[in-house]
Amino acid sequence: VLLVDEREIFREGLAHLLQEQTHIQVVSQCAKGQEAADRLKDSPADVVVMDATSANCGALPQIQKACCQPSTRIVSIGCTSN
């Protein structure tokens, strides 16, 4: 799993929850969508979890293009304060 979110505390918390599962490995974390696209080129991930409500959402096409494996899934999550 590659985690993409501008908020480090959110990434760390989600990574902690995911790593409690024996069948899930968080391979990388980053704050920006372009950084995620660059990391995917070097370290393919089966799943990309990204924040849909931030500026990262605009990087979705770059992330999709960088996915080396056709089976890579992108999960977009977000919340609002309303």
Side-chain angles (χ1 to χ4, degrees):
V1 176
L2 168 62
L3 302 177
V4 186
D5 194 290
E6 294 174 330
R7 299 161 296 179
E8 182 178 5
I9 193 165
F10 179 80
R11 289 193 320 265
E12 292 294 329
L14 185 56
H16 178 75
L17 290 172
L18 291 173
Q19 289 174 337
E20 288 181 349
Q21 306 300 313
T22 57
H23 62 286
I24 298 176
Q25 179 183 8
V26 176
V27 294
S28 189
Q29 300 180 36
C30 54
K32 303 289 182 190
Q34 183 58 51
E35 185 181 1
D38 293 341
R39 288 195 185 182
L40 282 167
K41 293 174 186 174
D42 296 329
S43 302
D46 294 327
V47 177
V48 177
V49 178
M50 64 181 292
D51 178 13
T53 60
S54 73
N56 287 325
C57 194
L60 183 57
Q62 296 161 319
I63 292 172
Q64 288 173 319
K65 184 185 273 188
C67 291
C68 298
Q69 304 172 11
S71 61
T72 299
R73 299 294 180 236
I74 299 173
V75 178
S76 181
I77 59 174
C79 63
T80 62
S81 59
N82 298 341

